[in-house]
Amino acid sequence: MSNALFDTAPDFSQPIAVLKHCHDRIRKQLQTLQNLIGHLPRHGADVDAQKAAQAVLKYFNNAAHLHHEDEEQNLLPMLRATARDADASLLAELAPGILAGHEQMDRDWTIIKTQLEQIANGTSATLSASDVAHFCDSYAAHMVVEETHIATMARRLFSAEQMAQLGSAMQVRRGITPDLPHSQVPEQQTAAVSNTVADGVVLADLRLDYGRASLTEQDVLDDPIDQFGKWFEEAMHAKVNEPNAMSVATVDADGKPSSRIVLIKQYDQRGFTWYTNYASQKGQQLRGNPHAALLFFWSELERQVRIEGKVVQTAAEESDKYFYSRPVKSQIAAIASQQSAPIADREQMEANYDAAAAVSGEHPLRPAHWGGYRLDPVRIEFWQGRRSRFHDRIVYVKQADGSWVKERLQP
């Protein structure tokens, strides 16, 4: 009566087929649940019933959630970034229900799981027919929607490169090392440690051909801040990993550049704002040369935004407002740390924090050396990855009268 947990599966080069295969395995486990409903009243929690319960538990505890994560973290975000017009409208209509369905099925599984665990160890022969029916019916209807609309849309819209990316993400989630291009290289190349990585893959061969979207002059808005807002919202909607993370590049008195990742806290027509220690390396460099460059890179959408301009400190009132909105422990950390200055060890850092906490109590005061910077942009470039490295680049340049002129750049 039990079902084999593993059977022959499609290759991950066919990720949509793999997802369908996952559905088929789920259907087998749902059928086992339904079989148990008829078996238990006649035979109780016998060996067959225990094995069946163990099989269902094993699958839904260890494998089913991976299928949900494939959809939530990869398939749906990729479709959101790719779908247009009627496809985008249909996706917007269906996706919330799919995500809500995942949550509901997880809750329903918790109820059934408790019953199955007792059957699996032979201590109970009770399995609620209504709970099983609700779980099976909900799951079956859910999978029909995904197969009818989501899988069909993905097959139609995704490029070969997107399919490869989806398949690789699914492999990683399952602890499988994805196949990389050009893994077979001449021995004399793999011997050079400086330009190779694991399995002899040459760094120069590590490339992913982009192809999710395009960017034309007609696509972009007239104002670059509005266009940035549009892309930022799309990055948020696609669940890009930390869409607010940006590189800040500064230059010291000798003309030597340095960069670091910080989190943007605000953007508007005045510019792009972040907060930090004014005495840090970037703060010292900005005092000597207020010109800086920002970079956002949203790999999931194959997009980057380059921003250049002059940096000024925000008003004390703005710095206060943000500082006091932070958690108290973060406020104390800003007081305790002399950012970028050397220190003997972690223990000394902890001691400095404890000392600052003892003095500050529950209401720390913003130190004068901590506050906001705002970059007033004069140049903003939007970059969309395209196939064969023939990328789309649209740049806006601010004019003397404050207006913006946009033009296309060659890749």
Side-chain angles (χ1 to χ4, degrees), residues 2-6 22-36 51-60 116 132 135-136:
S2 62
N3 295 315
L5 182 58
F6 300 104
C22 292
H23 279 182
D24 291 341
R25 291 167 68 189
I26 290 171
R27 288 186 174 99
K28 290 179 181 179
Q29 302 304 329
L30 296 179
Q31 184 60 56
T32 299
L33 273 174
Q34 293 169 332
N35 291 343
L36 266 173
K51 288 182 178 179
Q54 290 164 6
V56 176
L57 284 166
K58 186 175 182 180
Y59 184 80
F60 281 103
L116 288 174
V132 168
F135 184 68
C136 292

Side-chain angles (χ1 to χ4, degrees), residues 208-222:
L208 175 66
D209 206 13
Y210 301 115
R212 288 187 178 174
S214 61
L215 185 67
T216 69
E217 290 80 352
Q218 290 70 42
D219 292 331
V220 295
L221 303 175
D222 291 336

Side-chain angles (χ1 to χ4, degrees), residues 117-128:
E117 287 172 341
Q118 295 176 339
I119 296 170
N121 62 29
T123 60
S124 172
T126 300
L127 182 61
S128 169

Side-chain angles (χ1 to χ4, degrees), residues 287-303:
R287 277 198 299 274
N289 182 348
H291 299 279
L294 311 179
L295 174 65
F296 292 85
F297 180 51
W298 300 316
S299 61
E300 296 90 337
L301 299 179
E302 298 171 354
R303 290 174 173 175

Side-chain angles (χ1 to χ4, degrees), residues 31 59 74 87 104 118 145 173 234 242 285:
Q31 184 60 56
Y59 184 80
N74 300 106
D87 288 324
Q104 184 60 52
Q118 295 176 339
V145 170
R173 183 164 291 113
E234 290 176 3
E242 290 199 296
Q285 292 179 352

Side-chain angles (χ1 to χ4, degrees), residues 3 7 11 38 48 70 94 108 120 129 155 160 181 189 194 198 225 252-253 257 292 313 345 347:
N3 295 315
D7 49 22
D11 187 85
D48 283 343
D70 291 335
L94 295 178
D108 293 342
R155 286 194 183 95
Q189 285 183 303
S194 62
I225 305 299
D252 67 15
Q313 292 185 9
D345 49 39
E347 287 71 20

Side-chain angles (χ1 to χ4, degrees), residues 56-333:
V56 176
L57 284 166
K58 186 175 182 180
Y59 184 80
F60 281 103
N61 284 340
N62 300 329
H65 68 94
L66 299 175
H67 175 64
H68 289 176
E69 291 171 7
D70 291 335
E71 296 171 349
E72 294 171 3
Q73 299 180 24
N74 300 106
L75 178 59
L76 290 177
M78 290 174 67
L79 280 173
R80 288 190 188 101
T82 305
R84 297 290 183 271
D85 303 325
D87 288 324
S89 298
L90 179 60
L91 186 64
E93 177 184 343
L94 295 178
I98 291 173
L99 298 177
H102 288 172
E103 294 180 358
Q104 184 60 52
M105 287 184 290
D106 288 343
R107 289 191 292 268
D108 293 342
W109 168 245
T110 301
I111 297 171
I112 295 175
K113 175 183 175 182
T114 302
Q115 300 173 42
L116 288 174
E117 287 172 341
Q118 295 176 339
I119 296 170
N121 62 29
T123 60
S124 172
T126 300
L127 182 61
S128 169
S130 60
D131 289 342
V132 168
H134 179 71
F135 184 68
C136 292
D137 291 347
S138 297
Y139 231 125
H142 180 88
M143 291 187 290
V144 168
V145 170
E146 292 180 337
E147 292 170 4
T148 303
H149 300 289
I150 302 302
T152 301
M153 188 185 300
R155 286 194 183 95
R156 180 164 45 81
L157 297 182
F158 283 176
S159 65
E161 291 79 8
Q162 287 173 294
M163 287 294 190
Q165 183 179 5
L166 177 59
S168 294
M170 292 166 65
Q171 286 176 284
V172 170
R173 183 164 291 113
R174 288 157 177 79
I176 304 170
T177 302
D179 293 332
L180 294 174
H182 306 288
S183 60
Q184 302 299 321
V185 296
E187 183 177 350
Q188 63 269 27
Q189 285 183 303
T190 61
V193 176
S194 62
N195 70 341
T196 62
V197 293
D199 299 322
V201 178
V202 180
L203 287 177
D205 288 338
L206 288 176
R207 61 175 64 242
L208 175 66
D209 206 13
Y210 301 115
R212 288 187 178 174
S214 61
L215 185 67
T216 69
E217 290 80 352
Q218 290 70 42
D219 292 331
V220 295
L221 303 175
D222 291 336
D223 186 285
I225 305 299
D226 293 340
Q227 178 62 34
F228 177 85
K230 179 176 181 290
W231 268 23
F232 191 85
E233 287 297 320
E234 290 176 3
M236 293 281 287
H237 190 63
K239 296 185 179 179
V240 165
N241 183 40
E242 290 199 296
N244 54 334
M246 64 181 183
S247 169
V248 177
T250 55
V251 178
D252 67 15
D254 297 324
K256 297 177 181 178
S258 61
S259 64
R260 72 289 291 164
I261 300 295
V262 305
L263 301 180
I264 188 174
K265 296 302 177 182
Q266 182 183 8
Y267 66 88
D268 53 32
Q269 291 298 326
R270 298 174 300 168
F272 300 80
T273 303
W274 70 96
Y275 292 85
T276 188
N277 188 314
Y278 291 142
S280 64
Q281 181 195 48
K282 58 184 168 294
Q284 295 176 38
Q285 292 179 352
L286 287 170
R287 277 198 299 274
N289 182 348
H291 299 279
L294 311 179
L295 174 65
F296 292 85
F297 180 51
W298 300 316
S299 61
E300 296 90 337
L301 299 179
E302 298 171 354
R303 290 174 173 175
Q304 60 177 315
V305 184
R306 301 171 58 192
I307 307 167
E308 300 169 10
K310 186 175 181 179
V311 178
V312 297
Q313 292 185 9
T314 60
E317 292 78 9
E318 286 185 75
S319 295
D320 284 342
K321 182 177 181 180
Y322 176 68
F323 183 81
Y324 296 121
S325 73
R326 306 175 86 209
V328 171
K329 290 184 178 180
S330 296
Q331 297 175 19
I332 295 172

